[in-house]
Amino acid sequence: MRVYVPLTLPGLAEAYKTGELAAGPFLAYAVTPALREWYLSDDIEELEYAALNRAALGSLRLLAADPGAVRRRVVVAVDVPDGTAVADPDRGLDPAALGEVRVSGSAALAKASSVHVDAGDAEADVSAAAGALAAADGGDDDAQFTVDGAEDHELLWFATQEIPDLIALGG
């Protein structure tokens, strides 16, 4: 099963150093039944794109918690064994948990298929969004507008062989 793991550039550097993307259990995003119902599409590419964007929001949350990290969202697409990624049935239709899965096992970075990272021109908007996230979660519409501004930037696709170059961006 393909899952999308939210990270930061320091998190990607750590995964590259250890060879392990995440130790289980860990949070990721995937095409879940609730995401399918919410997105109203049967196109798997569109659904995977929606899961990727949910992971990008997860990365933004990690950035909000790490003020020293370069303000670029990072998402790693990785394949995990079927059955190891499970959506919480109690949170299935919670808008905040759409696409969210808990992966019970670990994920080797070698199993990653791609890395998705913001371009440099997104840093100002991503920084503003990370700073506004708590207020947006509290219902502030202006803050939500700022958070949504980060979504205006498409994450760029990188092959896993490019991870060393990406890590250099964070140092």
Side-chain angles (χ1 to χ4, degrees), residues 26-133:
F26 64 93
L27 181 70
Y29 295 83
V31 177
T32 62
L35 185 71
R36 284 179 187 275
E37 185 176 326
W38 172 75
Y39 201 73
L40 299 173
S41 174
D42 290 329
D43 185 322
I44 192 64
E45 287 183 17
E46 287 181 16
L47 291 165
E48 286 181 347
Y49 182 73
L52 172 70
N53 283 328
R54 300 295 299 168
L57 179 58
S59 176
L60 186 64
R61 292 189 181 288
L62 294 173
L63 288 171
D66 184 0
V70 172
R71 302 331 236 177
R72 293 192 192 192
R73 298 167 299 164
V74 177
V75 175
V76 178
V78 63
D79 294 322
V80 298
D82 288 342
T84 62
V86 179
D88 182 345
D90 294 332
R91 295 191 65 200
L93 295 177
D94 177 354
L98 285 171
E100 193 177 276
V101 293
R102 175 97 25 215
V103 180
S104 60
S106 62
L109 187 58
K111 296 284 185 184
S113 60
S114 59
V115 182
H116 307 266
V117 181
D118 277 309
D121 66 354
E123 285 186 31
D125 289 338
V126 170
S127 181
L133 197 55

Side-chain angles (χ1 to χ4, degrees), residues 9 12-13 15-16 76 109 112 114-115 158-169:
L9 285 172
L12 183 62
Y16 185 71
V76 178
L109 187 58
S114 59
V115 182
F158 295 91
T160 56
Q161 297 88 337
E162 297 176 274
I163 291 174
D165 296 330
L166 294 171
I167 291 168
L169 298 173

